[in-house]
């Protein structure tokens, strides 16, 4: 496949010291692995290139996410995953917020303080699928107006589902912000805090890292703001029309994860 995007001058002289991967839409969709992912990880290991997974997944604890990936055939260690759900736990501890209402699936609540439905100091919002309704939004709005902070594990607009694009939790966070006039504290991608957390796990500068994802804002823009070389894959939520119509331009474009080894060999030293 011919590359649409070239490598920028800013990053051409940098040596690559690690790779960050998004998971959903890059390595799998729903319960189906995207071909070439395992071979790609094997190649990186053979080359001595470390990698981490940075995901806005908010439906599972890190332990459960590792179990899910192993079930799909991806053998990933817990320390190799930096998820928005885990970053939320770290943020609450940092701010000493203990009375939290958890708008999360049960599997994602395992690492958090106990769920506080009445008079919370913070409301933690992640993906709860189709459980959103007017009554829930109205109750959350009133708790925010009473002083609760909005902790958004991410503000994704949509993700790739079994039958196409599916509305994501960011739309409901935006509704609460609009209704209350209060801005959410965003934890996951594309925040610089999240990408700094990922960079620190390599012990190198952020401009020595490559980011691979399917989301223009969360993956590409977030990584580029940190000086990383950002590659978009044409799988998952990728839509050609969205990329062509956006001011955000990836540094590289590949058809799928299986093309990454060839891309890195040809484009980055």
């Amino acid at each position: 496949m011919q590359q649409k995007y070239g490598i920028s001058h800013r990053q051409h002289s940098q040596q690559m010291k690690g790779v960050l991967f998004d998971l959903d839409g890059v390595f799998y969709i729903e319960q189906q692995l995207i071909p070439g992912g395992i071979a790609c990880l094997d190649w990186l290991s053979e080359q001595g290139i470390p990698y981490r997974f940075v995901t806005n997944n908010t439906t599972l604890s890190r332990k459960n996410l590792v179990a899910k990936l192993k079930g799909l055939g991806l053998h990933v260690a817990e320390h190799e995953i930096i998820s928005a759900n885990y970053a939320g736990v770290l943020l609450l501890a940092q701010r000493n917020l203990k009375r939290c209402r958890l708008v999360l699936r049960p599997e994602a609540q395992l690492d958090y303080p106990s769920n506080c439905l009445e008079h919370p100091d913070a409301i933690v919002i992640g993906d709860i699928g189709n459980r959103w309704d007017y009554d829930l939004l109205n109750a959350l709005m009133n708790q925010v107006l009473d002083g609760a902070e909005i902790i958004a594990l991410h503000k994704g607009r949509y993700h790739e589902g079994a039958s196409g694009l599916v509305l994501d939790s960011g739309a409901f966070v935006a509704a609460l912000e609009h209704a209350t006039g209060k801005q959410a504290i965003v934890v996951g991608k594309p925040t610089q805090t999240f990408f700094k957390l990922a960079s620190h796990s390599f012990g190198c500068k952020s401009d020595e890292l490559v980011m691979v994802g399917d989301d223009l804002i969360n993956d590409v823009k977030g990584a580029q703001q940190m000086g990383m070389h950002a590659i978009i894959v044409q799988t998952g939520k990728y839509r050609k029309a969205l990329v062509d119509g956006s001011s955000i331009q990836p540094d590289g474009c590949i058809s799928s994860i299986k093309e990454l080894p060839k891309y890195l060999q040809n484009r980055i030293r």
Side-chain angles (χ1 to χ4, degrees), residues 198-214:
S199 299
H200 289 163
S201 69
F202 289 94
C204 67
K205 297 178 182 179
S206 58
D207 63 2
E208 296 172 323
L209 298 175
V210 171
M211 174 70 207
V212 183
D214 67 335

Side-chain angles (χ1 to χ4, degrees), residues 250-263:
D251 298 299
C253 181
I254 55 178
S255 61
S256 75
I257 190 63
K258 78 176 190 177
E259 297 295 326
L260 184 65
K262 183 189 300 183
Y263 178 95

